[in-house]
Every structure is written in structure tokens, then in C-alpha cells.
């Protein structure tokens, strides 16, 4: 397996080398649209997730390996960091906004373009499950704030205090300077975007976060926005984003990655081209991190980011893995 992982790491790097000789913006040199051959043999099932979310991909794999659906797997997987009080950027234990409130953003999407999202949601430990309920039990895609909370409570979710003692102490310390300076890479765990392909060849994705620590009260990032933090096209592939949400929203990042795969780019190339678009549009790109991961319907995956230090967790038939994504800044 070690050799194979080396190969995977090298192929992520291969995307980088390729990028230096070949412009990855869409051009006439691109293969024709709809190139993805749905009948080709696929590497399935497979799950990938942003950052070192190894326990989360293992939980999703547990569902997938028993023949479970991509949608059930992705919800089960992202609930792991949501419920972990030591994960400071998702769900319970997530860092609060500058007013001391833990406000959560989350979305979920399946192969048929069904999707649901919640934003600026407080007091609910598993916002992804509320997002799934928005998808299945309402005529809407997105619910926010008090309305989303009321909906969750009506659905039987429990109201909880999500601000841990540790997070509260960190916030009080932050107030001493009150300087908003998002950390570029948070080690160990972070916002989770997860993509799954099940054994029947169906894709799903979810993205869930407490957002940028010490954001303004009411701020919503990219993570719950379909097309920005997450996008799934059951005929092509899926993508999800992490990092500075404002920069991801500006280029409709995850939708862009999927559209680039539709034009024939492999997942690594598509993520790289989307990062290049972010860089082109964001004058302060050297001060932020943005990373994308992508999975196509063949079970091929990839990732790319601005700054070194972003990795993604994987689980497939050959076992688990952790892959360093290619990066634009050296
Ligand atoms: C946001 N994209 O709220 C999220 C935060 C994140 O790694 O992904 N952090 O902007």
C-alpha cells in the first residue's frame, strides 16, 4: 500500500508540474464536454474528506463497505467532527463568533441534485442532519437562523449549549486584542467537506463548519452554500471547499470544480484550475488559504490549495490514506 500511496502523492504533485507547463484555464485544447464515461469501471466505494478527518472517513466507509448509500455515509461521516468537542471548527466545541455565539453552517447534496442547507444555526449539535431534513421534509433548500432552529426543534432535535469551557476561555482571551486574523491552516481537524461514491455508483457530499473563528455575528461562509462550499453532479463528480469562505463564494468554487471536470479535467487538474481562479480574483491570496477536493464518478479523486499544509483523508478498498494536496505557493 505504501507504494500506492507514494504514487497517489506523486500524482497530486504531478498535477502541480503539469500546471506549470500547461495553462489550466479552460481553452480550446480541452477535451469536449461530457467526456466522463459513466460505464467505465469505477474505483468504488470511496470517500474523501478535507483535512485530517480520518475518523470521519472511517465512519463513512463503515456505511459504504456494507452497501450503504452515499448519502447515509456522508451524513454519518461528518457527524463525527460535529459531535467532537475537541474539534474547534465544527459543531459542538466550534469557536464562537466575536459575540461568543457558536453559529453553524452546513449543507448536504445527492446525485440527483437534491440538496438542503442551514446557516447561522445555533444550539444544534448536528446541523448536517437538519440540512438533510430541510432537503427531505421541506419545499426549500436553505433555512437560516431562528427559523432554522425552530424547524430543527419541531423535527425533534435537542437544544444544546455548544460553547465548551475551553472555547469560551479562548474567546475571552481573544477579546483582549479582538484582532480578526483567520489562521491559515488548523492542524488535526478543521471544517469538514466530505464526498462519497457508493457501490451503486451514486455520489453525495456534505460540508459543515462553525465558520471562521471570531467572525462578525451573522456572517455566513461558503460551507452551506450549494455551488460554493459543495456541489454534486451525479453524472460528473462532486467537489467541496475549505478555507476563506469569502474567496470561495466569489468564484462559486465547488461548482467551478465540477464544471471543469465536465470539460474533461481530472479531479486534481480541476481543483488546481479553480484555485488558480481564486488567485486571479483575490489580490490578498498570499494571506489566505483556500483548498478544494474533488471526486468523479469513476472514483478518481484529487485536491489542490493555495498554501502548503492542506491535506485530505481517504478511505477506499485498499484502505485508508492521507494525501497532501498540491499547492500553488511554494
Ligand atoms: C468558512 N470555509 O466559514 C469556512 C471555514 C473553513 O477551514 O473552511 N475553514 O469560511
Amino acid at each position: 500500500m505504501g507504494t500506492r500511496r507514494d504514487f497517489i502523492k506523486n500524482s497530486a504533485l504531478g498535477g502541480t508540474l503539469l500546471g506549470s507547463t500547461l495553462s489550466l484555464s479552460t481553452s480550446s485544447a480541452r477535451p469536449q464536454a461530457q467526456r466522463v464515461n459513466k460505464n467505465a469501471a469505477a474505483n468504488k466505494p470511496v470517500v474523501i474528506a478535507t483535512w485530517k478527518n480520518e475518523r470521519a472517513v472511517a465512519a463513512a466507509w463503515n456505511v459504504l463497505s456494507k452497501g450503504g448509500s452515499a448519502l447515509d455515509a456522508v451524513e454519518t461521516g461528518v457527524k463525527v467532527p460535529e459531535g467532537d468537542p475537541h474539534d474547534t471548527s465544527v459543531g459542538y466545541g466550534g469557536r464562537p463568533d466575536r459575540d461568543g455565539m457558536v453559529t453553524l453552517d452546513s449543507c448536504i447534496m445527492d446525485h440527483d441534485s437534491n440538496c438542503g442547507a442551514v446557516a447561522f444555526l445555533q444550539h444544534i449539535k448536528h446541523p448536517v442532519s437538519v440540512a438533510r431534513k430541510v432537503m427531505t421534509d421541506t419545499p426549500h433548500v436553505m433555512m437560516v437562523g431562528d427559523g432554522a432552529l425552530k424547524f430543527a426543534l419541531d423535527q425533534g432535535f435537542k437544544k444544546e449549549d455548544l460553547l465548551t469551557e475551553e472555547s469560551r476561555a479562548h474567546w475571552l482571551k481573544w477579546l483582549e486584542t479582538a484582532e480578526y486574523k483567520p489562521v491559515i491552516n488548523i492542524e488535526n481537524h478543521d471544517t469538514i467537506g466530505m464526498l462519497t461514491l457508493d457501490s451503486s455508483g451514486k455520489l453525495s457530499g456534505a460540508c459543515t463548519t462553525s465558520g471562521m473563528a471570531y467572525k462578525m455575528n451573522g456572517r455566513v461562509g461558503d460551507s452551506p452554500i450549494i455551488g460554493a462550499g459543495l456541489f454534486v453532479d451525479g453524472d460528473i463528480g462532486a467537489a467541496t471547499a475549505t478555507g476563506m469562505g469569502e474567496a470561495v463564494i466569489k468564484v462559486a468554487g465547488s461548482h467551478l470544480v465540477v464544471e471543469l471536470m465536465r470539460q474533461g479535467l481530472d479531479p486534481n487538474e480541476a481543483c488546481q484550475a479553480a484555485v488558480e481562479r481564486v488567485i486571479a480574483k483575490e489580490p490578498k491570496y498570499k494571506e489566505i488559504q483556500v483548498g478544494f477536493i474533488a471526486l468523479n464518478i469513476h472514483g478518481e479523486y484529487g485536491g489542490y490549495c493555495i498554501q502548503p499544509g492542506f491535506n485530505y483523508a481517504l478511505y477506499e478498498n485498499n484502505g485508508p490514506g492521507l494525501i497532501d494536496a498540491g499547492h500553488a505557493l511554494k
Side-chain angles (χ1 to χ4, degrees):
M1 198 168 76
T3 317
R4 186 167 171 284
R5 293 285 168 245
D6 289 348
F7 168 75
I8 292 169
K9 283 196 175 184
N10 288 338
S11 48
L13 191 63
T16 313
L17 296 174
L18 182 69
S20 58
T21 53
L22 182 82
S23 164
L24 282 173
S25 58
T26 45
S27 76
S28 55
R30 292 271 160 266
Q32 289 306 300
Q34 303 288 0
R35 193 198 60 146
V36 178
N37 175 4
K38 285 172 80 177
N39 298 321
N43 168 34
K44 61 187 181 186
V46 54
V47 48
I48 58 172
T50 53
W51 304 102
K52 208 170 172 294
N53 276 300
E54 289 158 307
R55 285 194 311 123
V57 293
W61 179 258
N62 193 34
V63 176
L64 292 170
S65 60
K66 292 179 182 141
S69 74
L71 192 64
D72 286 342
V74 86
E75 181 185 3
T76 302
V78 303
K79 281 173 78 173
V80 172
E82 278 187 347
D84 181 353
H86 303 299
D87 186 316
T88 58
S89 56
V90 184
Y92 180 44
R95 293 279 183 253
D97 65 18
R98 58 190 66 176
D99 295 347
M101 296 175 190
V102 180
T103 73
L104 305 176
D105 295 342
S106 186
C107 71
I108 192 163
M109 188 165 191
D110 76 8
H111 63 284
D112 269 337
S113 307
N114 298 307
C115 47
V118 289
F120 192 53
L121 174 65
Q122 294 182 64
H123 305 304
I124 302 290
K125 195 183 265 179
H126 291 299
V128 72
S129 299
V130 185
R132 186 166 176 179
K133 284 280 180 198
V134 172
M135 173 173 112
T136 54
D137 289 33
T138 79
H140 307 305
V141 164
M142 190 169 200
M143 296 183 73
V144 306
D146 288 348
L149 175 60
K150 181 174 181 309
F151 170 71
L153 298 176
D154 288 349
Q155 290 285 330
F157 289 85
K158 201 166 99 203
K159 189 168 182 178
E160 294 178 69
D161 182 5
L162 303 180
L163 187 66
T164 57
E165 267 316 306
E166 193 270 328
S167 249
R168 195 179 134 74
H170 199 275
W171 168 59
L172 292 173
K173 181 107 194 87
W174 178 82
L175 283 176
E176 289 170 15
T177 56
E179 192 191 359
Y180 181 62
K181 205 165 182 291
V183 180
I184 283 184
N185 289 315
I186 302 171
E187 298 305 329
N188 298 326
H189 292 287
D190 204 356
T191 292
I192 183 164
M194 178 179 281
L195 308 172
T196 48
L197 178 69
D198 66 25
S199 39
S200 71
K202 292 192 170 109
L203 284 161
S204 284
C207 189
T208 185
T209 187
S210 49
M212 289 298 183
Y214 314 126
K215 61 194 176 184
M216 291 174 72
N217 183 252
R219 180 264 190 188
V220 170
D222 60 315
S223 304
I225 298 177
I226 299 296
L230 175 73
F231 196 70
V232 179
D233 183 319
D235 294 327
I236 305 293
T240 186
T242 184
M244 179 62 78
E246 284 75 6
V248 176
I249 294 170
K250 286 177 191 172
V251 300
S254 294
H255 182 259
L256 176 60
V257 173
V258 172
E259 290 309 300
L260 289 162
M261 290 195 286
R262 191 192 309 279
Q263 291 170 20
L265 273 63
D266 71 31
N268 271 319
E269 292 170 335
C271 291
Q272 177 169 351
V275 166
E276 288 173 355
R277 184 76 61 84
V278 171
I279 287 173
K281 299 284 179 191
E282 185 62 58
K284 293 194 173 164
Y285 71 90
K286 288 191 178 156
E287 295 166 27
I288 62 165
Q289 176 65 298
V290 166
F292 295 105
I293 60 170
L295 174 66
N296 69 17
I297 56 161
H298 300 309
E300 297 165 335
Y301 42 80
Y304 201 81
C305 58
I306 300 177
Q307 315 269 352
F310 170 55
N311 47 24
Y312 59 100
L314 153 79
Y315 216 119
E316 59 187 341
N317 284 313
N318 288 326
L322 185 67
I323 300 176
D324 292 328
H327 42 89
L329 293 179
K330 301 306 162 210

